């Protein structure tokens, strides 16, 4: 039930100044308002000069961290943050957790609970950061924050961080093809903006109801002017401007091929695709005998399906290399959490087509007498028979 905002913020203030505070995060914005900082994080630290309240803020371009003394200095700093029109607050103390979200009508939706984890002792600046996106970030209150989802988010963000240059600055245009419920889409936006990048992100999904749901979530998070969604197939959805980074995470079967084909036609600088449900080549292998001496690889159904997965992604990587990308297939999350744990990671180099890997690709296709869907799409941009974009 909504509560008066002033009373809820007074409660937040008391927790922020409580000696038992362990951490707090403010993010998002209220409808029609823009805070001067896009994110703030508070936590106690122990310095040689004594205990301090560390306040780390970001204005979207650069981070700023300061340590304030308990008493009047901390009071003033906390009051200044509470005066900002943040849309979300997440506060943890040794004994309680409070989550506050400001509604469109300007009221507060507050969730209170006992502390979900033991309080960590105040420490200095050398504490190892376990997650690229803090599990206590208010975004998880919107997209869901169970342990499995947090692990997958962190694994994906680490793959993304390993793909992009460390010194990347300025504007970054991103598209997520087959975005589904978009929790990785929103996590990517949060992480990339925290790096100081000027991000424009478009999510594409075939379902109109998903577009509406995701657009409403972007509005609640205060990101509607930077994170937008369109309904359409991966092959045909209108995406403007042309993206620098293409994501396709668990798009089913040949939808992954459609995403890779669009990325190539866009000359996207980076591509991250997590394939799912490799049915296309599996059906082709089932329809004809395997070349000698590999009959044992495809005679048993379960082995044929697994081999089709490997063959499909190997051929995808080979095609990307022949079209000017440095491509690799990596494991991005432990197989204990999902069997669909491979990631095709590609970076445009502008060279390819004449290297030995192109010949290796052709030999493999000829030997197994298969026609990869990605090869068909790259040869025929109209993409007859394109599958809809869906999450696996």
């Amino acid at each position: 039930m909504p509560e008066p905002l002033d009373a809820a913020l007074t409660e937040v203030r008391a927790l922020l100044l409580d000696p038992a505070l362990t951490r707090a995060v403010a993010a998002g914005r209220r409808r029609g308002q823009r805070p001067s900082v896009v994110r703030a994080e508070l936590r106690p630290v122990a310095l040689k000069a004594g205990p301090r309240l560390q306040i780390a803020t970001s204005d979207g371009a650069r981070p700023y961290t300061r340590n304030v003394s308990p008493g009047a200095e901390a009071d003033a700093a906390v009051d200044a943050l509470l005066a900002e029109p943040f849309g979300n607050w997440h506060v943890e103390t040794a004994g309680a957790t409070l989550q506050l979200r400001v509604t469109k009508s300007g009221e507060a939706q507050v969730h209170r609970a006992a502390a979900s984890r033991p309080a960590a002792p105040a420490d200095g600046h050398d504490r190892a950061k376990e997650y690229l996106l803090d599990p206590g970030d208010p975004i998880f209150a919107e997209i869901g924050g169970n342990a499995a989802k947090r692990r997958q988010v962190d694994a994906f963000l680490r793959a993304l961080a390993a793909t992009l240059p460390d010194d990347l600055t300025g504007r970054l245009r991103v598209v997520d093809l087959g975005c589904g419920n978009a929790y990785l889409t929103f996590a990517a936006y949060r992480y990339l903006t925290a790096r100081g990048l000027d991000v424009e992100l478009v999510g594409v999904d075939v379902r109109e109801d998903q577009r509406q749901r995701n657009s409403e979530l972007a509005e609640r998070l205060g990101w509607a002017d930077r994170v937008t969604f369109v309904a359409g197939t991966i092959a045909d959805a209108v995406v403007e401007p042309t993206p620098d980074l293409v994501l396709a995470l668990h798009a089913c079967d040949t939808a992954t091929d459609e995403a890779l084909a669009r990325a190539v036609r866009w000359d996207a600088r980076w591509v991250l695709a997590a394939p799912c449900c490799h049915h296309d080549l599996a059906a082709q292998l089932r329809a004809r005998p395997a070349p000698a001496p590999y009959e044992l690889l495809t005679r048993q159904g379960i082995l044929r399906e697994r081999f089709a997965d490997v063959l499909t992604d190997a051929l995808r990587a080979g095609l990307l290399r022949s079209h000017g990308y440095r491509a690799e297939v990596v494991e991005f999350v432990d197989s204990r959490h999902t069997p669909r744990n491979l990631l095709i990671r590609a970076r445009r180099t502008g060279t390819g087509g004449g290297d030995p890997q192109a010949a290796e690709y052709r030999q493999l296709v000829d030997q197994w007498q298969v026609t990869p869907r990605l090869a068909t799409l790259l040869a025929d941009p109209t993409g007859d028979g394109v599958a809809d974009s869906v999450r696996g």
Side-chain angles (χ1 to χ4, degrees), residues 289-304 307 368:
Y294 302 113
E295 294 89 343
L296 284 175
L297 283 176
T298 61
R299 185 171 298 158
Q300 303 297 321
I302 182 63
L303 295 179
R304 184 175 58 245
F307 176 67
W368 286 93

Side-chain angles (χ1 to χ4, degrees), residues 264 314-327 346-362 365 374-375 378-379:
V264 170
L315 292 175
R316 285 167 170 164
L319 279 165
L320 288 172
R321 293 186 187 106
S322 68
H323 282 78
Y325 285 84
R326 178 180 177 180
R347 175 175 60 85
R348 183 162 185 80
T349 63
T351 60
D355 56 29
Q357 291 173 332
E360 293 173 354
Y361 163 82
R362 176 48 53 192
V365 167
L374 180 56
L378 291 173

